[in-house]
Amino acid sequence: MNNLKDYEEDIYKCSRCGLCQFVCPVFKASVNECAVSRGKFNMLNGVIKGELSLNRKIKSYLDLCTGCNACKDFCPSKINAKEIFIAAKAQYYKNNKISLKEKIVNSYVLFKTALCCAFIFFSVYRFLRMDKIIKKFEKYILKTGLPGKRLVLLNSLAHTQYNQRTTPHNKNNMQKAVYFEGCFNKYINKQTENAVKKILNNANIELIKKDFECCGVSYLNDGNIDAFIKIANINLEKIDCDFDYILTDCASCEEVLKTYKDYATLPNAQKVCEKTISVVDLIKKIKFVCNKNLKIAVHKPCHDDYDFIDIVKNIDGITYVEAEDFDKCCGFSGKFALQNSEISRKISKVKAQHYIEKNTDIILTTCPACILGLNQGLAEIQNSQKPEVMNLFVFLALYCTPTEY
Ligand code: SF4
Ligand code: SF4
C-alpha cells in the first residue's frame, strides 16, 4: 500500500478548479470546503510539506466523505481522492496516539459482538412480528420526529419480504461457487441470501458456504489497514477448497474482496480477486417476466456498475422509470451515516424526493447500505405515497419468473 507521500504528485495535479464541488454530495449538503476533494487536498498538501500535522481534526475532515468516487469521475485530472484519503488516514493511525474512543470504535471483537447481539435482537424482533407491526403503523410513527424515523429505519433492516428456503438441486458437472454472504445476510436478514438461492437453483451452480468474517470494508475505508489485513487474511484462509467463483450479492463486498490482493499476505488473494463475481454477473443474460404491472425505478450504488440496471430494464411486464440522479450517492455509506447523521440524512432526503416525484412503486438496488440510505431519505419526507425499497434479488424471487437460463 502507498504512503501519503507517494501521492504528492497526484495532489499536486489538483488545479483548484473547484469542479468537484458540483458533484460531491457531502459538499452539496454541508457547503463545507473541507468536505470536498479540493479542500482536503489543500490540507494534505500542508501535511506533506510539514506545515500541518495530521491530527484528529484533519482525520475528521477526511471522514467527511462517502467514498462515492463522483469527484474522481468528474475531475479533469482524474485524481483518485478516495485512495489518497485512505492512505492519509492510515498514516494518521500509524503516527498518532489512538484515543480510547477510537480503540473501542475500531475494535473488531466489539464489532463482532455487536453483530451477534444484532442477530439475536432481529431474530426475536421478527419472531414477535414487530417488523410487520411497525410497517403497518409507519405513517404514524414517523410523525413522532427523529426517534420515529430511527425506529422506521431499524425496521427496514428487519422487514422480510421473502422468506422461502430453497432445497438445492444436485446435478452433475455443477460449477462451484464459494458464497461470500456478507454481514447483512449473516447477522441481520437472510432474505437476500434466500432469494439468491432460489434464482440460482436452476443455474447449475453449487453454492459453498464458509463461516466468513465481515469483508472489512469499514476498516479499509477508515484507513485502519492493520485491522483490515487481519480480517482479509482470516477470510482468505477459509477459502481452502476448489472453486470456480467467489460469489457475492453485495456490491461493497465485491469491491473489497477484489482489493484483498493489494493488502493481504496470503497467496490466494490474487485468485480471489480474479474469481470474485457478483450474482448480477451470473444472471445478466437471463430474461425475467414480472407477474405484476409495477412501476420500477433503480438506485445504482456508487461501487456497482450499470449491469443490474440492464437486467431491470429487460424485465417483461414492468414499467421502468428513471429517477433524476439514480446513479448518485444515497448518502449512507456505513460509518459515514453514524458519524455525520445530519449530512447523511440531507443527502438521502434529496435522493428520495426524486423517486417520489416519479411516483414509482418500487426502488430496486443491490447494496444493503443503499437500502438503508434510501429508506432514511423516505423517512424524512411526509408523503402518503412512498415507494418500497427492495433488493433486486428479493424482487426477482418474489415477483418474477426466469424464462430461460
Ligand atoms: S475537480 Fe479535481 S482538479 Fe478540480 S479542484 Fe477538484 S480535485 Fe482539484
Ligand atoms: S468521494 Fe464522493 S463524498 Fe468523497 S470527496 Fe469525492 S465526491 Fe465527495
Side-chain angles (χ1 to χ4, degrees), residues 133-145 148-149 152 382:
I133 297 167
I134 302 288
K135 190 84 191 150
K136 200 166 169 194
F137 297 105
E138 196 176 288
K139 215 165 55 185
Y140 307 102
I141 294 167
L142 283 175
K143 288 190 178 147
T144 62
K149 288 175 190 171
V152 167
Q382 298 285 344

Side-chain angles (χ1 to χ4, degrees), residues 304-337:
D304 207 349
D305 54 31
Y306 287 80
D307 282 353
F308 96 88
I309 299 170
D310 292 335
I311 295 177
V312 178
K313 282 182 180 169
N314 283 329
I315 299 173
D316 271 350
I318 63 154
T319 307
Y320 174 77
V321 283
E322 198 158 284
E324 192 182 332
D325 288 345
F326 71 95
D327 54 356
K328 301 290 181 298
C329 182
C330 69
F332 203 82
S333 189
K335 230 173 170 182
F336 173 83

Side-chain angles (χ1 to χ4, degrees), residues 85-270:
F85 302 158
I86 290 176
K89 289 189 241 181
Q91 183 162 316
Y92 165 80
Y93 280 118
K94 216 161 127 192
N95 297 348
N96 286 275
K97 197 169 174 320
I98 305 305
S99 69
L100 182 65
K101 188 179 157 205
E102 282 170 318
K103 277 188 190 152
I104 292 171
V105 171
N106 286 324
S107 157
Y108 188 68
V109 177
L110 282 183
F111 175 62
K112 204 161 168 191
T113 309
L115 285 174
C116 293
C117 293
F119 175 77
I120 297 166
F121 172 80
F122 283 112
S123 303
V124 175
Y125 189 90
R126 272 188 292 267
F127 177 75
L128 297 174
R129 303 185 71 77
M130 288 301 290
D131 57 323
K132 307 270 184 285
I133 297 167
I134 302 288
K135 190 84 191 150
K136 200 166 169 194
F137 297 105
E138 196 176 288
K139 215 165 55 185
Y140 307 102
I141 294 167
L142 283 175
K143 288 190 178 147
T144 62
L146 195 56
K149 288 175 190 171
R150 297 237 157 103
L151 179 58
V152 167
L153 193 59
L154 178 112
N155 197 55
S156 71
L157 283 171
H159 186 53
T160 303
Q161 294 131 315
Y162 183 81
N163 58 10
Q164 281 178 38
R165 304 275 163 96
T166 307
T167 317
H169 287 170
N170 277 323
K171 298 186 219 156
N172 292 329
N173 304 322
M174 287 177 99
Q175 289 195 300
K176 289 183 195 312
V178 173
Y179 182 51
F180 192 91
E181 60 189 337
C183 296
F184 192 79
N185 278 322
K186 188 169 175 180
Y187 296 103
I188 315 280
N189 196 330
K190 282 230 168 292
Q191 65 166 344
T192 304
E193 180 178 336
N194 290 335
V196 165
K197 283 180 178 162
K198 183 190 172 198
I199 296 166
L200 294 183
N201 201 28
N202 291 317
N204 214 26
I205 289 168
E206 180 194 343
L207 288 186
I208 303 165
K209 285 273 298 266
K210 299 275 176 186
D211 185 22
F212 286 117
E213 301 293 319
C214 164
C215 66
V217 59
S218 58
Y219 292 93
L220 176 64
N221 289 343
D222 193 41
N224 193 343
I225 302 302
D226 289 344
F228 177 67
I229 291 174
K230 225 183 254 175
I231 295 169
N233 282 337
I234 293 173
N235 283 333
L236 289 170
E237 220 165 62
K238 292 188 178 178
I239 307 174
D240 53 359
C241 56
D242 269 356
F243 63 89
D244 296 299
Y245 315 108
I246 306 288
L247 189 66
T248 168
D249 56 57
C250 168
S252 302
C253 294
E254 183 190 2
E255 187 185 57
V256 172
L257 289 172
K258 286 180 176 173
T259 66
Y260 277 8
K261 68 170 183 359
D262 302 326
Y263 298 92
T265 48
L266 266 70
N268 59 347
Q270 181 66 35

